[in-house]
Amino acid sequence: MNEFVYVSGRHCLDFAGTILWRRTLRTELLEKPEDLRHWVDGANLCDEMDPPSSGSVADAQRLREAIYSAVTASLTGSAHRATQEEVSLLNIAAGGPLPALTLSRERDTTSTGSPDNVLSLLARDTIELIGSAEMTKVKECSNPDCTRLFVDLSRGFSRRWCGMAECGNRIKAADYRRRKKLQSID
């Protein structure tokens, strides 16, 4: 089972991060229905989701790529545009029903739904992000191999890494080793 991370500050960006190293090793984290269930559970998007199918996984992968493309297109402006197919996929998914919320007499809430309901939630989150002022705070990780996107809410807008455990420590350790090697040459 894949271990997912939720470090991006938005569900849609965490979901886009379910494929790693897009420019180099392309590592797919959503391969099986259990992977999709595990991601949804970790993101706390739906308390009781219908079992996903292999078709649900394929739909999720297509939506994930549309999310990534639309957000990166918004980051780069006119340098890149999401395709009409990707924009249509986002709009169609966003128009679907959301997970149902119920309230108990004890004021406990529960969300229930299908994988399609969760995908609708993610598509809406993407469209809301792109249309919001928060979009100006979206960055790509500074690790040249990493393609994870995140919302930089740091003081001074200085966050560089998707996460310290994922990329920050790795790059800092490599820089340290490089500096030590250069010192030993001198």
Side-chain angles (χ1 to χ4, degrees):
M1 183 182 314
N2 291 315
E3 287 303 315
F4 297 105
V5 295
Y6 306 88
V7 296
S8 299
R10 289 295 287 245
H11 291 302
C12 62
L13 299 181
D14 284 329
F15 191 64
T18 61
I19 191 164
L20 304 175
W21 322 114
R22 289 171 185 274
R23 289 188 279 275
T24 55
L25 300 174
R26 283 189 77 87
T27 304
E28 177 63 67
L29 300 180
L30 288 179
E31 297 178 306
K32 303 179 297 274
E34 305 85 61
D35 297 333
L36 181 56
R37 176 178 287 292
H38 181 65
W39 188 87
V40 170
D41 288 347
N44 295 315
L45 288 181
C46 191
D47 299 317
E48 298 172 17
M49 184 176 71
D50 297 339
S53 66
S54 56
S56 302
V57 173
D59 291 345
Q61 290 170 339
R62 279 191 295 279
L63 183 66
R64 178 198 55 211
E65 294 310 302
I67 290 169
Y68 185 81
S69 183
V71 173
T72 56
S74 294
L75 279 177
T76 59
S78 61
H80 168 75
R81 294 184 85 115
T83 67
Q84 184 57 49
E85 182 181 341
E86 291 165 331
V87 171
S88 293
L89 179 59
L90 280 167
N91 287 331
I92 290 167
L98 297 174
L101 290 173
T102 56
L103 177 68
S104 72
R105 289 185 62 210
E106 294 77 26
R107 295 183 305 215
D108 295 324
T109 60
T110 304
S111 60
T112 58
S114 68
D116 284 344
N117 299 145
V118 172
L119 296 182
S120 180
L121 190 65
L122 291 167
R124 288 178 192 211
D125 188 43
T126 304
I127 293 169
E128 288 171 4
L129 173 63
I130 291 171
S132 74
E134 192 173 48
M135 187 63 208
T136 62
K137 298 177 181 179
V138 174
K139 291 182 177 178
E140 185 177 77
C141 182
S142 290
N143 177 345
D145 293 327
C146 184
T147 55
R148 188 178 298 276
L149 302 166
F150 61 90
V151 179
D152 182 358
L153 298 175
S154 67
R155 227 179 183 161
F157 197 60
S158 59
R159 181 175 167 190
R160 296 179 55 203
W161 318 109
C162 60
M164 286 306 292
E166 294 271 297
C167 290
N169 288 337
R170 186 177 299 162
I171 295 296
K172 286 182 176 196
D175 287 347
Y176 175 79
R177 287 190 300 274
R178 183 182 43 76
R179 283 192 310 274
K180 284 295 188 190
K181 187 176 180 180
L182 289 174
Q183 288 174 351
S184 66
I185 293 172
D186 291 338

